[in-house]
Amino acid sequence: MPETIPSSPNPGLRVGFLLARNFTLSAFANFVDMLRLSADEGDRSRPIRARWSVLAHDMAPIRSSSGVTVSPQERPGDPQRFDYIVVVGGLIDEGGTLPREHTDFLHAAAAAGVPLVGLCTGAFLLHRAGLMQGYRCCVSWFHHGDFLEQFDGLVPVSDRIFVVDRDRLTCSGGASSAHLAAWLVERHLGRSVALKSLHIMIIEEAMQADEPQPGLPSELHSADPLVRRAILHMQQSLGLAPPVSRIAEGLGVGRRKLERHFARALGMSPAEAFLRLRLDHVRFLLSSSAHSVTRIAAETGFCDASHLIHTFRDREGTTPEAWRKARREADAAA
């Protein structure tokens, strides 16, 4: 936000941003553009109804994961001048912690009752700062396994685009950042303002928090939100292959309800859909890796190599190794 742009002394929504080293630019840009478009008429960008500011204790430019840098506008200071503090995460391996000054600022914000928002891997940073105990949080399906590895005993929500749990708000990043921002804009500035901003961003309508995240590519497609969430849950549990009853429990529904939705949407049972997803991943690993059949069986939830070979032959009419050989020969010929 250029310093020459006049700011309203009493905007309806005030947001401070803390950007992690190697932060995800798209998550930040989608969120801040929703604020920008909501703040003024059209896309004139004057911070009248909303105000936003990038914060940093040392005022040094902050590099995003794409290499583009963003210059901070002010130091953290008093968190109570903001309605929300937004932490934008980035690369798992390179942006693991926040500076101590920023962590102290977040704790002061939490103590003052200022809601904290985690975008993309921002939930990782809030957890690592000790600010998510007792809260549910949302992470991308892509980082579901990373979260389980780093935070023992904590299970994130990875089948929804964002989660609002009291004064903690987290989202999976990317386009979902715009939808979380739209939720905040609607709450503070009105639905018409939120919809106007989404339409300018060529987003047809606001997605609600329980809208399923997109998952791994699959031939199983459905418009049924429960079925889509269940498929995503299955894709994240390929190596464990939990029973359908446990999947239903994790989705907060009964097994019979889940079975009815699958029958109506896909014409098959959840168990059959899960087997198809696991076999899809078997074929992917056979064609894209040199993993042994034993290792592939373990990664896709089969008891052992013998179990996988029997199931694969029953569906494909050949063994996994024979299928792999034929696939490679076909690729070489092509």
Side-chain angles (χ1 to χ4, degrees):
M1 181 180 67
E3 294 181 0
T4 56
I5 296 176
S7 177
S8 168
N10 297 301
L13 181 58
R14 304 163 300 170
V15 179
F17 288 93
L18 291 178
L19 308 181
R21 181 167 52 89
N22 291 316
F23 70 95
T24 306
L25 187 61
S26 63
F28 169 65
N30 279 317
F31 198 101
V32 79
D33 244 15
M34 270 299 303
L35 299 178
R36 177 183 71 85
L37 294 168
S38 300
D40 197 2
E41 298 297 328
D43 63 348
R44 298 179 66 190
S45 303
R46 295 176 301 174
I48 298 172
R49 289 188 291 244
R51 182 170 67 84
W52 55 96
S53 186
V54 176
L55 313 173
H57 72 285
D58 58 4
M59 299 300 288
I62 308 160
R63 184 183 187 278
S64 70
S65 59
S66 65
V68 175
T69 60
V70 171
S71 297
Q73 295 149 290
E74 54 184 307
R75 289 182 168 82
D78 180 7
Q80 295 186 76
R81 71 187 190 278
F82 298 108
D83 298 304
Y84 299 89
I85 305 297
V86 178
V87 178
V88 186
L91 299 178
I92 291 290
D93 297 332
E94 299 180 35
T97 58
L98 291 169
R100 180 183 57 78
E101 293 86 351
H102 291 180
T103 300
D104 292 344
F105 174 72
L106 289 170
H107 277 276
V114 179
L116 305 179
V117 181
L119 302 186
C120 192
T121 57
F124 286 68
L125 298 175
L126 290 175
H127 258 302
R128 197 166 289 117
L131 291 162
M132 292 296 292
Q133 290 90 342
Y135 289 93
R136 296 166 65 242
C137 78
C138 177
V139 301
S140 166
W141 64 268
F142 187 73
H143 293 304
H144 181 86
D146 298 313
F147 192 94
L148 294 177
E149 288 180 5
Q150 294 189 28
F151 304 105
D152 186 40
L154 296 172
V155 179
V157 176
S158 300
D159 60 357
R160 302 186 181 193
I161 61 170
F162 65 86
V163 168
V164 177
D165 187 357
R166 294 159 288 164
D167 54 355
R168 298 292 187 275
L169 302 85
T170 49
C171 84
S172 52
S176 70
S177 299
H179 293 288
L180 176 54
W183 186 89
L184 290 177
V185 167
E186 179 174 345
R187 182 183 183 194
H188 289 268
L189 305 178
R191 180 170 175 77
S192 62
V193 175
L195 290 177
K196 182 267 291 189
S197 303
L198 287 169
H199 292 162
I200 294 176
M201 293 178 70
I202 320 297
I203 298 175
E204 186 174 353
E205 60 182 349
M207 295 170 65
Q208 299 304 306
D210 58 358
E211 184 73 17
Q213 293 182 30
L216 294 168
S218 168
E219 294 182 358
L220 299 179
H221 300 287
S222 172
D224 185 319
L226 178 60
V227 172
R228 289 165 61 191
R229 286 179 56 211
I231 289 173
L232 182 60
H233 190 91
M234 292 172 181
Q235 289 176 325
Q236 294 167 351
S237 309
L238 292 175
L240 302 174
V244 173
S245 58
R246 191 176 304 164
I247 294 172
E249 181 182 352
L251 297 170
V253 299
R255 174 171 180 158
R256 288 185 178 276
K257 179 176 180 178
L258 187 62
E259 289 173 341
R260 287 197 302 270
H261 277 252
F262 267 81
R264 186 164 56 243
L266 298 176
M268 67 182 71
S269 68
E272 170 62 19
F274 199 8
L275 179 58
R276 291 193 185 191
L277 291 172
R278 291 159 62 204
L279 288 173
D280 280 347
H281 199 52
V282 168
R283 286 186 286 270
F284 170 76
L285 292 174
L286 287 170
S287 61
S288 64
S289 75
H291 295 344
S292 68
V293 173
T294 298
R295 177 173 173 178
I296 292 174
E299 291 185 10
T300 52
F302 290 90
C303 299
D304 50 32
S306 178
H307 182 207
L308 170 56
I309 292 169
H310 175 79
T311 305
F312 195 88
R313 183 189 289 119
D314 183 59
R315 295 297 178 108
E316 296 288 338
T318 186
T319 65
E321 284 294 0
W323 186 94
R324 170 185 269 165
K325 181 180 179 182
R327 179 64 180 266
R328 289 180 175 174
E329 289 174 352
D331 288 344

